[in-house]
Amino acid sequence: MKSKRKSLKFSKQQSHYLPDECWELVFKFLKEDDEDNFKLLSTVSKQFLSITNRLRSSLTLYYPFLPNLFQRFTNLLSLNLTCFHGDLNMFLSQISCFQLNLTSLNLSDKPTIPANGLRIFSKNITTLTSLTCSNLHSIKTMDLLLIADCFPLLEELDLSNPKECRGKYLKKLEALTLALLKLRKVNLSGHSYINDQMIFHLFKNCKHLEEANLYCCFKITIAGMALALSERPSLRSFSFSKPATNITPPFIDSLVHLKSLTCLDLFFLNISDEVLSDIAREGLPLRRIVLQYCTGYRYVGIFNLLSKCQHIQHLDLQNAGFLKDAHVVELSLFLSDLVSINLSKCKKLTQSTLVALVGNCPTLGEIKMKEIGWESIHDTNFCIDSGVCVYPQLKYLNLASNSWLSDESIIMFASIFPNLQLFDLNGCRNVSEEGVGQVLRRCLKIKHLNLKDCSKVKLPGINFGVSKLEVLNLSFTEVIDEALYVISNYCCQLLTLNLACCDYVTEKGVKHVIYNCTHLREINLRYCDNVRSKFVASMVVLRPSLRKITTPSHCYLSKKERKVFSNHGCLICQD
């Protein structure tokens, strides 16, 4: 026995001195299989820290970097500055001094495009192929020329959902399409100025275009879109919306000639059963179908489509008011490859639909069924032997805004879906802490729990028993300080906590969270009027991991206090 122990001890010591190349192979495998454990490896030794640094390919920054940060991560490919608060122009200029081979840059959620910084950045970092600038407050015509000039090798461009578009775009957009010869994916959702002529130039000039998202580009007509589609038959993914508009034969003719089309997202269009049948007859290799808020079609149309396209992985039929439980049961027999489905606002559906889907779709991992029918309360056929019917494949379940949902129902779901990682119960006002407690005790892998506006939830004596919970939304609930004490003890891995409009929360309860949740990055205290400004000012010192604090409405922070937050890389949001 002693010799065996010595041998084991020796082998462990020897294994620690394996060459870096061997450890890299092990770590790469672990990174793909378990991201959480991969992060812990860097704390084991300096050797492991060095290896994990080299393997890091993406980085999200919240504040100006330390001088040696990019020297540590030498193989970075992707940089996300969405949550960055600081001088972006200066920061991008500083980044350009490092020898980086970045291929992806995300500058979303900013006031404007940092033009000066991008010009300097692009002179030294010429490898960029993906640029995301979504949700900008304002985008100007000159920004399009800047992008075309700085990043001619772009293959993916996302400029979606700007709040404001300034200038005359016709010639600028055409220049952009002529400059970006390698462009494969473009998202121009929300660019309301785009008309038929502009979209024709885009599809004609970008010879390699495979994916186009044109949601809420309302000036594009059905006729103009049909003509543009005919210019790019190699398109693989297409997203388009046009409220209260009939699909025309030329549009359908152009659509069915997209022989490589795998993703089709249509919103608010008037689609007949004949249109869906025409798409079905062409045998397009569709893997994703979205018909959100589309009207005009009935069960026969969607049946014809899904019976022909039996490799659908993502299906969205939100607001298909005609669907009944029996319909979904029949359709699910064609959906053996289904990964996610959205049946929100299908008022005639009940809980039985949910069970039929997981029973017939073995790979189904995500279900959204927000605002389904009130008839679910009276669903006498919903009876399952939880000891027999268990569906471990389901990871994400969104049942928000179902006010009829009871503790009995969610306890049953917790029994048959033990591997849930996200459970959204926003607005389910009949759910209480009794049901929530059972869910947490049975679903030990939950990371994201949304209990917003669950007015019966107070959680005073609940045993969370969950160490993996990372995101918890308790806004608009009657949660009290005692509950926050319990949460802080059981949920030490918490990253985000939303306590907006929790009238009974005081400084005492928030202190428990700040002291015990050592990984906390974001907390929302909006309208928590029992939390004093003085305590808010000290939070970032007490919990240095914080990156965003939404303060109570009465909270006032001095310039000195704001500078302390800024130095810690923490963003302050106030009403």
Side-chain angles (χ1 to χ4, degrees), residues 300-316:
V300 64
I302 196 65
F303 178 88
N304 288 339
L305 179 60
L306 295 182
S307 63
K308 295 291 185 182
C309 303
Q310 295 196 19
H311 295 288
I312 297 298
Q313 296 177 345
H314 306 279
L315 180 63
D316 188 335

Side-chain angles (χ1 to χ4, degrees), residues 2-153:
K2 289 183 179 180
S3 62
K4 287 184 178 180
R5 286 178 179 173
K6 288 181 179 180
S7 175
L8 181 61
K9 184 177 180 181
F10 178 76
S11 64
K12 286 182 178 179
Q13 291 174 339
Q14 289 294 98
S15 67
H16 184 71
Y17 296 103
L18 286 173
D20 283 2
E21 292 79 7
C22 295
W23 283 119
E24 281 191 22
L25 292 174
V26 175
F27 290 0
K28 283 180 180 178
F29 176 80
L30 183 59
K31 185 178 181 182
E32 294 176 0
D33 187 59
D34 192 336
E35 182 69 25
D36 292 336
N37 281 332
F38 175 78
K39 293 177 182 178
L40 294 175
L41 289 172
S42 61
T43 64
V44 173
S45 67
K46 290 183 178 180
Q47 181 192 16
F48 283 14
L49 175 62
S50 175
I51 295 170
T52 54
N53 284 344
R54 291 199 300 273
L55 290 177
R56 180 183 284 273
S57 60
S58 62
L59 185 65
T60 298
L61 289 179
Y62 295 81
Y63 54 94
F65 67 96
L66 299 173
N68 64 343
L69 183 63
F70 290 114
Q71 293 173 354
R72 284 176 55 197
F73 307 125
T74 55
N75 293 319
L76 277 182
L77 298 176
S78 176
L79 183 61
N80 187 341
L81 300 178
T82 300
C83 300
F84 181 89
H85 42 281
D87 189 333
L88 259 182
N89 284 300
M90 180 182 296
F91 184 63
L92 290 170
S93 301
Q94 291 172 333
I95 293 175
S96 67
C97 298
F98 294 89
Q99 296 298 317
L100 299 173
N101 294 315
L102 289 175
T103 58
S104 177
L105 178 64
N106 192 334
L107 300 173
S108 299
D109 300 322
K110 304 302 176 194
T112 59
I113 287 179
N116 293 332
L118 279 182
R119 285 193 188 93
I120 298 172
F121 174 91
S122 65
K123 289 179 180 178
N124 292 330
I125 299 179
T126 60
T127 52
L128 205 70
T129 59
S130 175
L131 177 64
T132 301
C133 299
S134 63
N135 302 315
L136 297 179
H137 185 273
S138 176
I139 188 168
K140 303 185 291 292
T141 54
M142 295 307 296
D143 292 332
L144 301 185
L145 295 181
L146 172 73
I147 292 171
D149 184 52
C150 290
F151 307 111
L153 300 180

Side-chain angles (χ1 to χ4, degrees), residues 16 262 365 413 421 468 481:
H16 184 71
T262 58
F413 294 145
Q421 294 180 16
K468 292 190 176 182
D481 288 341

Side-chain angles (χ1 to χ4, degrees), residues 146-380:
L146 172 73
I147 292 171
D149 184 52
C150 290
F151 307 111
L153 300 180
L154 278 185
E155 298 179 14
E156 302 177 14
L157 177 62
D158 185 347
L159 300 175
S160 59
N161 303 315
K163 292 182 180 179
E164 184 180 32
C165 299
R166 297 180 181 178
K168 297 180 180 180
Y169 284 86
L170 179 57
K171 291 185 178 180
K172 305 298 187 299
L173 186 60
E174 184 178 4
L176 180 72
T177 63
L178 288 170
L180 303 182
L181 299 178
K182 295 189 175 184
L183 194 65
R184 295 186 301 105
K185 300 180 181 181
V186 64
N187 190 340
L188 296 174
S189 296
H191 286 246
S192 55
Y193 61 87
I194 295 180
N195 58 24
D196 291 350
Q197 187 177 358
M198 294 178 184
I199 206 63
F200 180 81
H201 287 315
L202 173 66
F203 279 55
K204 182 179 180 180
N205 295 337
C206 298
K207 307 294 185 183
H208 300 285
L209 194 65
E210 296 178 352
E211 181 178 317
N213 192 329
L214 303 170
Y215 181 75
C216 290
C217 297
F218 296 128
K219 288 190 177 181
I220 303 175
T221 67
I222 286 290
M225 195 69 253
L227 186 60
L229 286 173
S230 66
E231 290 291 324
R232 194 53 48 223
S234 59
L235 209 63
R236 295 177 179 270
S237 178
F238 175 58
S239 180
F240 182 62
S241 64
K242 190 71 175 176
T245 303
N246 293 326
I247 287 184
T248 61
F251 181 89
I252 286 298
D253 187 56
S254 295
L255 194 64
V256 298
H257 279 84
L258 304 177
K259 299 303 182 182
S260 300
L261 192 68
T262 58
C263 301
L264 177 61
D265 295 9
L266 300 176
F267 303 84
F268 302 103
L269 286 160
N270 189 18
I271 302 174
S272 66
D273 289 335
E274 289 73 19
V275 167
L276 296 180
S277 298
D278 288 342
I279 296 174
R281 276 193 294 271
E282 291 300 321
L284 300 179
L286 290 172
R287 298 293 182 269
R288 171 186 168 96
I289 297 175
V290 174
L291 300 177
Q292 200 171 116
Y293 290 103
C294 288
T295 57
Y297 72 100
R298 308 297 295 174
Y299 177 62
V300 64
I302 196 65
F303 178 88
N304 288 339
L305 179 60
L306 295 182
S307 63
K308 295 291 185 182
C309 303
Q310 295 196 19
H311 295 288
I312 297 298
Q313 296 177 345
H314 306 279
L315 180 63
D316 188 335
L317 301 177
Q318 181 167 320
N319 208 48
F322 59 84
L323 279 179
K324 299 179 181 179
D325 288 338
H327 293 153
V328 179
V329 170
E330 192 170 15
L331 294 176
S332 66
L333 299 176
F334 307 131
L335 300 172
S336 59
D337 292 341
L338 195 65
V339 175
S340 70
I341 189 169
N342 183 4
L343 296 174
S344 299
K345 297 191 176 183
C346 297
K347 300 292 187 179
K348 294 182 179 180
L349 298 182
T350 71
Q351 299 169 118
S352 296
T353 284
L354 192 156
V355 179
L357 284 169
V358 292
N360 294 329
C361 306
T363 58
L364 184 58
E366 179 178 358
I367 296 178
K368 289 184 181 180
M369 292 181 67
K370 300 162 60 176
E371 293 186 55
I372 60 172
W374 66 270
E375 294 94 337
S376 299
I377 303 174
H378 310 292
D379 186 6
T380 56

